[in-house]
């Protein structure tokens, strides 16, 4: 029974994570590039154009994955914050801090690709469409988290305060989404790609979603490694690691 | 599987929508490359910070040792 | 205990009544800028009135948050209060007092703004039943407490932060969006002679939800900030 939870305690150890993640990353990047190659081949070359939208439908293969990850990222951040607050696990706070910039980047890309997709589809860069508007507010929530976290001189306070904000935010995300949706139907807006995705677009879309998921994980792990180093710079193992890697570098 | 385009021009133009499609893919690439470079730089600069701190610590330790020896002699 | 804390807040506020009047002045002034900027035509003003008044109320609440904890935090009495009772109780008392002192005045002054923004343009002077001002007041009555509750969380979070004023706005403005949507659309629905009970019900639901979660979140944040 106890051994079932060992991975959890190990993840809580910065040293264990730092050492293991160095081994995981090359494999994860390899996996990402395989998925990316396949995904780009399908999304740009194999998949047909849409009979209405033409080739601009290919933007969907970027837009949908990054939009999905922007929301998954926020929920993941809130879960990490809960673990940090409830079990006082420092690694969880570090993870939340690491997810924030990557999630914000995903949200920005969802907005950007949504706008660029909107131009040929709606004839305008911006439409107050329910999903784009929610993404915009999600972007503000990410920026708020990062801004609050960087406004404290004590890291302990920054972690906890930003976590409370993330939890308040995660309660609000569905409320924001549904109120914006309600408001949107009131004003008879348009929406992108409603009514499901046709079968011929599915392979490219699913491979790209998988690729972006792996990319998200990779970037978060990279950011988390930096965050762990920042937080543990006084630790003995960091000094050993810095000395060890110095030997590797020829001068 | 055969693709849809017969020539490179046709592929790049994507009907009338080439600009939009390539702008989306290009911006996505740019953002992710920037994140990658940024995080890598963070790790590297933190490592060199730790290394330089270790060096100054070593120097201080050895000079303190030297001072102590002098005091002992006196 | 809550009553004692509340009494204390109101006692202190008596000495600072000008500070409390400023958000109300601000509310009136911001709204009165719009006829200059857009058009003094009654139909135009009436059409934009719900949105303008609601945005102004939201900004006035935001402005008033500045006073939420400031003096108590600076002179150290906030820390004493948190130690003596619980942070959630302190935050709750602050929220209630803050709404009575700044939210309620906004609700009470809003009929004046309704007049300035020609809210009742085209309504006969004897038909009280169609008075849109009442709807405006109702929507503000249900909406401003939620604004205070969410604002309290923001203030508690940024209390110990290095930058305070603009930061809290950035944090809580996205959270204010649902209240803005339903608040303004209550009044708009009334202007267009549609039913507005649904919107009021949702404003009430949001208020209840905020009443359940916000005091605890604010208390938790307060504890983090003063410890």
């Amino acid at each position: 029974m106890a051994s079932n939870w060992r991975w959890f305690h190990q993840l809580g150890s910065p040293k264990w994570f730092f050492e293991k993640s160095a081994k995981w990353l090359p494999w994860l990047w390899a996996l990402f590039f395989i998925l990316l190659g396949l995904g780009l081949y399908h999304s740009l070359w194999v998949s047909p154009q849409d009979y209405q939208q033409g080739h601009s439908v290919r933007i969907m293969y970027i837009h949908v994955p990054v939009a999905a990850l922007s929301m998954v990222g926020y929920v993941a951040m809130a879960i990490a914050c809960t673990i940090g607050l409830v079990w006082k696990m420092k690694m969880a706070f570090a993870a939340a801090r690491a997810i924030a910039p990557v999630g914000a980047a995903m949200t920005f890309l969802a907005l950007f690709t949504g706008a660029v997709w909107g131009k040929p589809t709606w004839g305008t860069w911006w439409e107050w469409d329910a999903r784009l508007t929610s993404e915009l507010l999600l972007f503000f929530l990410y920026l708020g988290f990062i801004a609050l976290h960087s406004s404290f001189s004590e890291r302990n306070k920054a972690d906890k305060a930003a976590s409370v904000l993330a939890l308040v935010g995660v309660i609000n995300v569905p409320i924001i989404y549904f109120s914006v949706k309600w408001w949107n139907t009131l004003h008879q807006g348009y929406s992108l790609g409603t009514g499901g995705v046709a079968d011929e677009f599915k392979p490219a879309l699913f491979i790209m979603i998988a690729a972006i998921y792996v990319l998200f994980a990779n970037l978060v792990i990279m950011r988390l490694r930096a965050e762990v180093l920042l937080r543990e710079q006084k630790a003995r193992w960091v000094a050993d690691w810095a000395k060890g890697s110095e030997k590797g570098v020829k001068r | 599987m055969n693709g849809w385009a017969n020539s490179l021009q046709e592929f790049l133009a994507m009907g009338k929508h080439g600009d939009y499609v390539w702008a989306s893919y290009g911006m996505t690439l740019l953002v992710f490359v920037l994140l990658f470079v940024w995080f890598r730089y963070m790790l590297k600069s933190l490592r060199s910070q730790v290394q330089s701190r270790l060096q100054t610590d070593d120097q201080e330790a050895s000079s303190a040792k030297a001072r102590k020896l002098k005091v002992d002699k006196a | 205990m809550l009553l004692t804390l509340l009494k204390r807040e109101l006692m202190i506020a008596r000495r600072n009544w000008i500070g409390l009047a400023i958000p109300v002045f601000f509310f009136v002034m911001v709204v009165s800028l719009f006829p200059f900027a857009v058009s003094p035509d009654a139909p135009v003003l009436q059409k934009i009135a719900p949105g303008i008044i609601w945005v102004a109320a939201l900004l006035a609440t935001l402005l008033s948050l500045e006073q939420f904890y400031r003096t108590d935090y600076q002179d150290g009495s906030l820390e004493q209060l948190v130690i003596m009772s619980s942070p959630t109780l302190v935050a709750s008392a602050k929220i209630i007092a803050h709404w009575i002192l700044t939210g309620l005045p906004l609700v009470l002054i809003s009929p004046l703004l309704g007049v300035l923004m020609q809210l009742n343009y085209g309504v006969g002077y004897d038909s009280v039943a169609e008075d849109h001002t009442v709807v405006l007041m109702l929507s503000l009555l249900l909406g401003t407490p939620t604004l205070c509750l969410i604002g309290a969380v923001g203030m508690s979070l940024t209390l110990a932060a290095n930058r305070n004023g603009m930061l809290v706005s950035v944090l809580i403005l996205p959270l204010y969006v649902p209240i803005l949507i339903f608040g303004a659309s209550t009044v708009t629905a009334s202007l267009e002679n549609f039913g507005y009970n649904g919107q009021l019900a949702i404003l009430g639901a949001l208020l209840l939800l905020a009443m359940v979660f916000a005091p605890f979140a604010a208390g938790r944040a307060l504890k983090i900030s003063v410890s």
Side-chain angles (χ1 to χ4, degrees), chain A residues 33 36 59 72 114 198 236 251:
Chain A
F33 280 111
L36 181 71
I59 298 173
V72 170
R236 175 97 201 126
R251 297 211 170 189

Side-chain angles (χ1 to χ4, degrees), chain A residues 144 150-152 157 161 175 179, chain C residues 157 162-163 171 182 209 225 227:
Chain A
S150 61
S151 310
F152 288 89
K157 273 188 186 176
I175 297 176
S179 53
Chain C
L157 284 172
N162 299 333
R163 28 182 176 246
L171 299 188
F182 289 107
L209 203 66
S225 290
S227 62

Side-chain angles (χ1 to χ4, degrees), chain A residues 85-86 88 137 140-141 143-145 147-148 150-154 156-158 160-162 164-165 168-169 171-172 175-176 178-180 182-183 186, chain C residues 73 150 153 157-163 167 170-178 181-182 185 199 202 206 209 213 217-218 220-221 224-227:
Chain A
L85 284 177
V86 175
K88 315 241 180 308
L137 293 170
F140 293 155
L141 289 180
L143 293 188
F145 180 91
L148 183 65
S150 61
S151 310
F152 288 89
S153 32
E154 288 170 63
N156 188 22
K157 273 188 186 176
K160 286 181 183 166
V164 173
L165 180 70
V168 173
I171 295 172
N172 265 274
I175 297 176
I176 290 174
F178 286 113
S179 53
V180 167
W182 177 85
W183 162 82
L186 198 71
Chain C
Y73 184 61
I150 298 175
V153 181
L157 284 172
T158 54
L159 199 52
N162 299 333
R163 28 182 176 246
L167 179 63
V170 170
L171 299 188
I172 63 179
L173 276 179
L175 307 178
Y176 276 179
V177 169
I181 288 175
F182 289 107
S185 81
Q199 280 92 318
I202 292 174
L206 289 176
L209 203 66
F213 286 109
R220 180 91 203 206
I224 293 163
S225 290
V226 297
S227 62

Side-chain angles (χ1 to χ4, degrees), chain C residues 2 43 52 55 102 104 113 128 133 151 158 179 183 199 213 217 223:
Chain C
L2 188 67
I52 302 292
V55 170
T102 65
L104 198 57
L113 297 177
V128 184
T133 324
T158 54
I179 305 155
Q199 280 92 318
F213 286 109
K223 201 176 153 197

